[in-house]
């Protein structure tokens, strides 16, 4: 009888704790939303949004919405769309258009000649437009060791980093997960990217820390941000699992992550890169910005 009562009591305690914990998390998300619904953004974070997540909207319509919400930049747009961004006073917070693709990158010497041509053309364009960040990729491992990958990346990137230094542009290599979305991608852990930054030794080469990708491949997000923030120029968000809305349905608590980003002194952009599931996609975007505005 005593054993039964003890089990019942423990179940009651656990249920109560779970309810309190869930309630606390929900309150934190809702409280943050309510605080921001009636006021301007706090200004601690430079908010951006990734273009590709809103493919059913024109660039013009996305710019209008971003301006209204308080977003300052649009990620992953090339030169053809820059005039529209300028029209609305927005920046191209992460330029693209020089890369070949996500798999054929600087980690393989076969692609260096093509990459050098494309980046040599794009870096001056980014600078002339008054922008700063240009994305790049390591590409697939294809059986190469970490050391081979670093060596090839240094060889391929050095001349492009030198050009970027002359134009005050930063080449930003994205960290992608190799477990679910980008099988065989080599720059799939923060430490790998940080080591490449150390070897290149330039403030004009940094990392794009994608929170969604790094939660999948290594976790320990806040600690990694604190330990490696000096090598990170830019952040992307996304709910885990599924890269969906930033809300209480997924496993990351974004207000704490955003506070860590602010605390390390990040002055770059944090771009929302989630795939909206709600019918009103812009409402989802607005909610994500509110949650992340700490």
């Amino acid at each position: 009888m005593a054993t039964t009562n003890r089990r019942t009591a423990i179940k009651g305690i656990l249920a109560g704790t779970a309810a309190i914990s869930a309630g606390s998390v929900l309150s934190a998300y809702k409280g943050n939303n309510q605080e921001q619904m009636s006021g301007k953004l706090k200004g601690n974070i430079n908010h951006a949004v990734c273009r590709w997540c809103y493919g059913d909207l024109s660039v013009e319509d996305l710019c209008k919405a971003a301006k209204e919400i308080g977003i300052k930049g649009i990620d992953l747009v090339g030169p053809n769309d820059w005039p529209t961004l300028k029209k609305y006073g927005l920046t191209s917070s992460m330029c693209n258009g020089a890369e070949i693709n996500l798999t054929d990158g600087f980690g393989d010497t076969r692609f260096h000649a093509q990459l050098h041509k494309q980046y040599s053309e794009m870096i001056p364009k980014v600078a002339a437009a008054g922008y700063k960040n240009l994305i790049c990729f390591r590409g697939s491992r294809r059986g190469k060791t970490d050391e081979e990958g670093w060596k090839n990346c240094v060889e391929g990137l050095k001349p492009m980093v030198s050009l970027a230094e002359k134009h005050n542009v930063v080449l930003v290599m994205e960290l992608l997960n190799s477990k679910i979305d980008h099988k065989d991608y080599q720059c799939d852990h923060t430490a790998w990217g940080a080591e490449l930054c150390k070897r290149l030794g330039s403030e004009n080469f940094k990392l794009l820390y994608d929170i969604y990708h790094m939660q999948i491949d290594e976790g320990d997000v806040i600690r990694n941000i604190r330990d490696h923030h000096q090598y990170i120029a830019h952040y992307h968000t996304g709910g885990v699992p599924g890269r969906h809305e930033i809300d209480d349905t997924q496993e990351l608590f974004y207000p704490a992550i955003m506070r860590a980003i602010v605390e390390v002194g990040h002055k770059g952009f944090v771009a929302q890169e989630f795939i909206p599931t709600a019918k009103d996609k812009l409402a989802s975007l607005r909610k994500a910005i509110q949650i992340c505005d700490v």
Side-chain angles (χ1 to χ4, degrees), residues 97-111:
E99 69 279 7
I100 299 171
N101 51 50
L102 302 185
T103 58
D104 302 333
F106 282 99
D108 195 320
T109 57
R110 290 179 296 169
F111 307 116

Side-chain angles (χ1 to χ4, degrees), residues 207-225:
L207 302 176
L208 194 171
Y209 185 95
D210 189 302
I211 298 164
Y212 161 82
H213 286 300
M214 290 302 95
Q215 170 65 4
I216 290 172
D217 259 13
E218 65 185 11
D220 211 5
V221 168
I222 290 176
R223 188 191 309 274
N224 278 314
I225 288 170

Side-chain angles (χ1 to χ4, degrees), residues 29 32-33 246-247 254-255 287-294:
Y29 274 108
N32 189 282
N33 281 340
I246 305 302
D247 58 23
Y254 265 92
K287 181 179 178 182
I289 295 293
Q290 291 161 356
I291 288 170
C292 291
D293 193 57
V294 299

Side-chain angles (χ1 to χ4, degrees), residues 91-256:
T91 188
S92 180
S93 40
M94 182 58 64
C95 302
N96 72 345
E99 69 279 7
I100 299 171
N101 51 50
L102 302 185
T103 58
D104 302 333
F106 282 99
D108 195 320
T109 57
R110 290 179 296 169
F111 307 116
H112 285 179
Q114 183 178 350
L115 288 167
H116 287 172
K117 179 179 184 299
Q118 293 174 191
Y119 278 86
S120 294
E121 293 171 356
M122 187 63 72
I123 288 169
K125 289 181 182 179
V126 171
Y131 300 139
K132 186 84 173 176
N133 296 327
L134 177 60
I135 200 167
C136 66
F137 299 94
R138 182 273 172 245
S140 298
R141 181 184 289 268
R142 294 186 173 98
K144 292 178 179 60
T145 65
D146 284 344
E147 187 59 42
E148 288 172 322
W150 286 319
K151 180 179 178 292
N152 289 347
C153 279
V154 168
E155 180 185 323
L157 281 163
K158 262 196 171 179
M160 297 300 95
V161 171
S162 294
L163 183 62
E165 289 171 344
K166 292 176 183 176
H167 289 277
N168 196 29
V169 168
V170 179
L171 297 182
V172 188
M173 181 172 284
E174 185 164 11
L175 296 158
L176 302 173
N177 84 75
S178 59
K179 180 180 178 181
I180 301 297
D181 299 293
H182 302 285
K183 301 285 188 180
D184 202 43
Y185 190 77
Q186 189 164 40
C187 189
D188 60 349
H189 282 72
T190 314
W192 198 96
E195 176 62 23
L196 180 57
C197 290
K198 292 173 188 175
R199 294 187 183 204
L200 284 164
S202 172
E203 289 299 305
N204 294 78
F205 179 82
K206 298 281 188 179
L207 302 176
L208 194 171
Y209 185 95
D210 189 302
I211 298 164
Y212 161 82
H213 286 300
M214 290 302 95
Q215 170 65 4
I216 290 172
D217 259 13
E218 65 185 11
D220 211 5
V221 168
I222 290 176
R223 188 191 309 274
N224 278 314
I225 288 170
R226 288 173 176 163
D227 288 350
H228 301 291
H229 66 89
Q230 67 268 39
Y231 305 116
I232 299 170
H234 198 82
Y235 292 88
H236 279 172
T237 73
V240 181
R243 185 144 228 155
H244 295 307
E245 277 82 355
I246 305 302
D247 58 23
D248 58 342
T249 66
Q250 47 89 47
E251 66 191 32
L252 289 168
F253 185 64
Y254 265 92

Side-chain angles (χ1 to χ4, degrees), residues 41-49 70-73 75 91 93 233-235 258 261-262 266-272 289 292-293:
L41 300 177
K42 294 178 179 178
N44 296 323
I45 291 175
N46 293 316
H47 294 285
V49 61
I71 291 170
K72 296 180 179 180
D75 262 31
T91 188
S93 40
H234 198 82
Y235 292 88
M258 293 300 114
I261 290 172
V262 171
H266 180 67
K267 301 301 181 186
F269 282 86
V270 176
Q272 298 294 332
I289 295 293
C292 291
D293 193 57

